[in-house]
Amino acid sequence: MDAEHIRELFREFGLVQVRRMFGGAGLYAEGVMFGLVSDDLIYLKTDAATASAFEAERCAPFQYETKSGTRALRSYWRLPDRLYDDPDELAQWARRALTVAKLGVWAKPAAKPMRRSVRRPVPRCRRR
């Protein structure tokens, strides 16, 4: 799925930036990542409240392979197939995903400054 096709799918939602990452792409709006594309499938950002809508559509969370097996990332769920043909409803789902993504960005605690190690003077050997 190319970037132009993705932008066309989300035309009712608004401007979407597609940025390549790993084997797929991240979907951004207003500077926040609200979705991702992997293996030509779109996944949207979810939280506990919005994931139930994806479950009701029999969608699955994003999965990827690791050396130790398959791992699911439950914060991104596959877009229901029917939404690829319904730009108005796709826009509603995308708006919810963007809201969830923004809340996640705002909820993250600020990074703690790294502690500088105190350099203690190394005692010097006395010359005789």
Side-chain angles (χ1 to χ4, degrees):
M1 187 175 304
D2 68 1
E4 193 56 41
H5 182 222
I6 293 168
R7 284 189 206 95
E8 180 62 23
L9 283 172
F10 285 90
R11 73 182 177 279
E12 298 300 320
F13 168 69
L15 180 63
V16 172
Q17 295 175 328
V18 182
R19 298 182 191 165
R20 291 203 176 279
M21 55 181 259
F22 309 109
L27 303 179
Y28 291 79
E30 301 174 25
V32 177
M33 185 173 157
F34 72 96
L36 59 91
V37 180
S38 179
D39 294 327
D40 287 335
L41 294 173
I42 295 174
Y43 297 83
L44 295 179
K45 182 76 171 159
T46 62
D47 62 7
T50 59
S52 61
F54 290 86
E55 287 178 304
E57 295 276 347
R58 298 179 195 252
C59 296
F62 174 68
Q63 294 182 354
Y64 59 96
E65 296 295 323
T66 67
K67 290 180 182 180
S68 59
T70 302
R71 181 158 185 228
L73 185 62
R74 299 193 62 81
S75 59
Y76 287 91
W77 284 68
R78 187 176 56 80
L79 185 70
D81 291 338
R82 66 183 181 77
L83 296 182
Y84 286 87
D85 296 322
D86 188 346
D88 293 325
E89 192 172 355
L90 174 84
Q92 293 172 10
W93 287 61
R95 282 186 202 101
R96 278 179 265 168
L98 181 58
T99 299
V100 169
K102 285 180 177 180
L103 290 173
V105 169
W106 294 328
K108 289 182 183 174
K112 292 181 182 179
M114 292 181 63
R115 293 180 65 180
R116 290 186 176 175
S117 60
V118 178
R119 292 188 77 188
R120 296 188 177 144
V122 177
R124 294 187 177 197
C125 297
R126 290 186 178 185
R127 292 187 181 180
R128 291 183 190 201

